[in-house]
Amino acid sequence: MDDCIFCKIAQKEIKSDIIYEDENIIAFDDISPQAPVHVVIITKKHVKSVDFLREEDKAMAAEIVLSFGKIARIKKIEKEGYRIVSNHLESAGQSVFHLHFHLLGGRKMNWPPG
Ligand code: 5GP
Ligand code: ZN
């Protein structure tokens, strides 16, 4: 999609530090990390947010969920723990309107989140 920064990252028109990639997903270090480990996992397909996933996206959605553990192992934080976050719309904190999940770790996480 034109003017979508994450589509441009997926198409490698904008450089990112890629941690993991497969047919449907690309994961890269967040430009403004909120924890020692902060990876953004996006779909290559433009979907606006998690709320816009549909039945036809089932296989891709399963792949995303399975990628979390793979990325945690690449970052070596699977034993200490990590958090997955996906923000839907501005009130939840979404600032890029292309489906993505945050994988955060390397420090103690607070609950409830702000
Ligand atoms: P959101 O606020 O939508 O939940 O998450 C968007 C995330 O993307 C933010 O954590 C932000 O720092 C990150 N981000 C925005 N633009 C870029 C970019 O060009 N490169 C990288 N690596 N991360 C980005
Ligand atoms: Zn996009």
Side-chain angles (χ1 to χ4, degrees):
M1 194 193 174
D2 290 350
D3 290 333
C4 171
I5 195 159
F6 283 180
C7 281
K8 287 183 177 153
I9 286 178
Q11 286 152 20
K12 302 189 179 140
E13 288 168 25
I14 293 178
K15 194 196 160 306
S16 66
D17 292 327
I18 297 169
I19 305 302
Y20 173 83
E21 180 172 7
D22 65 24
E23 195 188 336
N24 293 312
I25 296 164
I26 189 157
F28 49 89
D29 284 324
D30 198 291
I31 205 166
S32 174
Q34 302 302 310
V37 174
H38 186 171
V39 178
V40 181
I41 300 112
I42 71 170
T43 48
K44 291 183 177 175
K45 174 183 172 182
H46 182 88
V47 175
K48 196 175 164 192
S49 80
V50 69
D51 194 70
F52 288 83
L53 283 168
R54 297 292 176 260
E55 282 295 315
E56 71 209 43
D57 300 315
K58 206 182 259 183
M60 183 179 79
E63 260 187 55
I64 298 168
V65 174
L66 290 171
S67 78
F68 299 151
K70 295 178 191 170
I71 294 160
R73 278 160 185 76
I74 291 167
K75 290 290 189 179
K76 301 190 190 334
I77 56 166
E78 79 278 10
K79 296 223 164 58
E80 67 178 81
Y82 57 90
R83 179 173 291 173
I84 302 296
V85 175
S86 191
N87 300 319
H88 168 57
L89 301 182
E90 289 94 337
S91 64
Q94 188 176 10
S95 62
V96 178
F97 294 89
H98 176 129
L99 176 62
H100 57 280
F101 293 80
H102 301 260
L103 187 153
L104 297 146
R107 67 167 168 82
K108 178 91 174 75
M109 296 290 154
N110 298 318
W111 195 262

